[in-house]
Amino acid sequence: MTTKSALPPDWKKALQPFLPAHALAEIKAFLKREEKAGQVIFPPRQDIYRALVLTPFAKVKAVWLGQDPYHDDGQACGLAFSVPDDVPAPPSLRNILKEYSSDLGRSAPASPSLESWARQGVLLLNTVLTVRAHQPGSHRDCGWEKVTDAIIRALSSRRDRVLAFILLGNAAKVKTKLIDDTRHVVIQCAHPSPLSAYRGFLGSRLFTRTNQLLAERAAEPIDWTLD
């Protein structure tokens, strides 16, 4: 991997006790094989670790955990559920913004980007950080789970701050076992995709509920405002 697509130094240090020795090398080799075979991979190589770049380890307040990146052209940007400013919001993101407006009483933001959350401490993470173009789930069980499990374990081990772990969908919910829920807030919710949003995501009041649970533990609330 090039420097731009490498794990940021602060995260690399934080993950060291939790990450298997060869996990990053295995992912690097896997992605090279995919590219050599002519596969188009999303997000672009320089954006794979963008969530970790925008949200340094010491600044994480909450984790939004999804499944894998968007698989259509131009959508995946390295932040779970988010897309670039000039890209129409996919259905999952539309449902997130719908719940945002309903729960917080705010108008839908003009931009579909969730970058402002990332910059103020919300780690927008998927359990798998890459995908083949137009093939959802195609990079599951290819090594990424070792890396993202280490991220979750490292954050769970923190004792300087109560974090909120928001687990969206079944692939995220199974990570509950990695989190110390005696210390941190853990919220399980349906995935916001059209297939499951009406089974518990829409109407969940996820934003205010997260802040209420943080307040109960005397933790700093999240500013969910989107520009």
Side-chain angles (χ1 to χ4, degrees):
M1 291 186 184
T2 64
T3 301
K4 287 185 177 180
S5 63
L7 195 68
D10 63 323
W11 280 99
K12 190 171 185 178
K13 180 179 178 181
L15 300 190
Q16 191 171 6
F18 307 97
L19 190 62
H22 301 294
L24 293 177
E26 289 170 1
I27 276 293
K28 180 179 178 180
F30 167 72
L31 293 177
K32 283 186 175 180
R33 290 195 300 272
E34 287 284 271
E35 291 173 343
K36 189 174 181 179
Q39 298 294 341
V40 175
I41 296 171
F42 295 145
R45 180 63 75 94
Q46 69 271 16
D47 288 337
I48 289 174
Y49 292 114
R50 187 161 173 253
L52 305 181
V53 171
L54 294 183
T55 313
F57 179 77
K59 294 188 176 180
V60 176
K61 300 176 183 175
V63 181
W64 269 53
L65 188 63
Q67 298 178 152
D68 57 355
Y70 294 124
H71 57 86
D72 283 336
D73 296 330
Q75 294 180 330
C77 63
L79 302 177
F81 302 106
S82 184
V83 294
D85 283 326
D86 57 350
V87 174
S92 292
L93 180 54
R94 289 202 299 270
N95 283 330
I96 289 171
L97 298 178
K98 185 183 295 185
E99 185 61 24
Y100 167 88
S101 295
S102 173
D103 186 13
L104 301 175
R106 297 179 180 273
S107 299
S111 169
S113 173
L114 305 179
E115 185 173 323
S116 60
W117 287 355
R119 291 189 179 278
Q120 69 101 25
V122 180
L123 181 64
L124 298 170
L125 184 70
N126 283 309
T127 57
V128 174
L129 300 189
T130 58
V131 68
R132 287 181 184 174
H134 317 301
Q135 296 183 46
S138 50
H139 283 182
R140 292 178 190 169
D141 300 319
C142 294
W144 276 124
E145 289 87 352
K146 295 176 184 177
V147 179
T148 56
D149 281 3
I151 291 172
I152 296 166
R153 290 182 188 276
L155 290 169
S156 177
S157 73
R158 287 182 58 174
R159 291 295 178 267
D160 60 317
R161 171 181 282 167
V162 176
L163 306 180
F165 290 83
I166 301 163
L167 313 180
L168 302 176
N170 292 333
K173 289 177 183 178
V174 298
K175 305 303 181 180
T176 303
K177 63 179 182 285
L178 306 179
I179 304 167
D180 180 1
D181 61 5
T182 66
R183 171 65 181 171
H184 302 291
V185 169
V186 180
I187 299 173
Q188 298 186 27
C189 195
H191 195 276
S193 74
L195 294 175
S196 57
Y198 288 95
R199 300 176 192 165
F201 181 83
L202 293 173
S204 65
R205 300 189 64 84
L206 190 58
F207 305 96
T208 54
R209 184 153 57 103
T210 298
N211 279 351
Q212 179 183 349
L213 292 171
L214 286 171
E216 290 174 2
R217 302 198 187 194
E220 183 182 355
I222 307 299
D223 178 6
W224 296 111
T225 303
L226 289 169
D227 298 332

